[in-house]
Amino acid sequence: LAKTTQPISMDSYEGQEVNITCSHNNIATNDYITWYQQFPSQGPRFIIQGYKTKVTNEVASLFIPADRKSSTLSLPRVSLSDTAVYYCLVGGRNNDMRFGAGTRLTVKP
Amino acid sequence: GAVVSQHPSWVICKSGTSVKIECRSLDFQATTMFWYRQFPKQSLMLMATSNEGSKATYEQGVEKDKFLINHASLTLSTLTVTSAHPEDSSFYICSAVPGRGLHEQYFGPGTRLTVT
C-alpha cells in the first residue's frame, strides 16, 4: 500500500495560490492519486484525481511528475472558505482506501 | 450526481445498546462501500471494506463481532455498533465507489455517535 506524507499544516492569505505536496514513494503502477477536502463534522469531498502529468478542473489543478512519487494540489486564489483539511489518497479500485494525516490549511484574511 | 447519504446524522445511545447506521448511494450503484471512523482532530481510520453480496473485510484491530456490516444491495450498506460503549463515541463516515470506471470514493455526510 502506498503510504502518503503531507505537511501537517499550512497557512495562506486570501487571494493567494496554495500548493500542497504529497509524497507517495511506494505508489503502484495501477494507483491513482486523489485529493479530498474535509470540513469539520462533514464527510470528505472529492476535489481532483489524476494518474500522471497534469489534471485541471474548475476548482484545482493536480501536478504529477513522471516518476509519480509525489503530487501537488494547487488551489488558485484561495478564500476563507477553503480553510479545511486536505487529504491525499493513493490507491486503486481494489486497494484499501487508507487516509494519511492530511494537511490543515488555514486561510487568513 | 454521485450522492451518498447516511442516516442518522447523529445519534445518542446508552451504553450496552446497539445502533445501526445506514449508508445509501442515491444515484449510482456501489459495488464497494467503505466504513471509516474519525476521532476529533484526527484523520479518517478505515474500519472495513464492504462488497455487495459478500462478507466485509475488516481492518486489523477492528472487531467484526462488534461492528457488524451488511451490504445487502448495490445501494445500501449498514453498520451496526453492538453493545456500544462510551469509547465507541466517534464520527462514522461511509463512502461508496461506483460500479465501474471511476476510482474515486464518494463520501456520506457522516454520523455522530455519542454513547452515554
Side-chain angles (χ1 to χ4, degrees), chain A residues 30 32 34 36 38 40-46 49 87 89 91-93 95-102 104, chain B residues 31 34 36 38 41-44 46 49 59 91 93 97-105 107-110 112:
Chain A
N30 296 330
Y32 279 70
T34 311
Y36 296 88
Q38 187 183 29
S41 297
Q42 294 185 27
R45 182 177 74 96
F46 171 84
Q49 183 183 76
Y87 294 98
L89 199 64
R93 171 166 305 283
N95 290 353
D96 295 328
M97 299 291 194
R98 294 198 177 104
F99 281 74
R104 187 173 300 274
Chain B
T31 54
F34 299 93
Y36 296 86
Q38 186 175 34
K41 303 289 186 181
Q42 294 188 22
S43 181
L44 286 79
L46 179 66
T49 301
E59 292 297 296
F91 192 53
I93 307 170
V97 179
R100 57 179 176 171
L102 303 177
H103 292 252
E104 65 261 30
Q105 306 177 71
F107 286 84
R112 175 76 58 192

Side-chain angles (χ1 to χ4, degrees), chain A residues 2-88:
Chain A
K3 180 180 177 180
T4 60
T5 303
Q6 303 174 230
I8 294 176
S9 64
M10 294 181 68
D11 289 342
S12 183
Y13 291 92
E14 283 190 291
Q16 289 188 335
E17 177 185 75
V18 171
N19 296 309
I20 306 174
T21 297
C22 177
S23 296
H24 29 80
N25 292 321
N26 297 322
I27 189 169
T29 302
N30 296 330
D31 286 343
Y32 279 70
I33 301 158
T34 311
W35 285 80
Y36 296 88
Q37 175 193 56
Q38 187 183 29
F39 298 111
S41 297
Q42 294 185 27
R45 182 177 74 96
F46 171 84
I47 301 175
I48 196 166
Q49 183 183 76
Y51 184 80
K52 62 180 180 180
T53 63
K54 176 184 175 181
V55 180
T56 298
N57 61 22
E58 62 275 11
V59 298
S61 294
L62 178 59
F63 299 92
I64 305 169
D67 65 6
R68 304 202 326 124
K69 294 185 177 183
S70 67
S71 59
T72 299
L73 173 71
S74 181
L75 304 173
R77 298 180 299 282
V78 294
S79 64
L80 296 176
S81 62
D82 292 318
T83 293
V85 179
Y86 292 82
Y87 294 98
C88 159

Side-chain angles (χ1 to χ4, degrees), chain B residues 2-6 23-28 94-96 106-109:
Chain B
V3 178
V4 176
S5 70
Q6 281 185 241
C23 176
R24 294 181 184 271
S25 56
L26 299 184
D27 50 4
F28 66 97
C94 73
S95 70
Y106 296 96
F107 286 84

Side-chain angles (χ1 to χ4, degrees), chain B residues 2 7 9 15 17 37 44 46 58 64 80 89 94-95 97 106 111:
Chain B
H7 178 81
S9 55
S15 186
T17 62
R37 64 190 296 181
L44 286 79
L46 179 66
Y58 290 81
K64 62 180 181 180
T80 301
S89 298
C94 73
S95 70
V97 179
Y106 296 96
T111 297

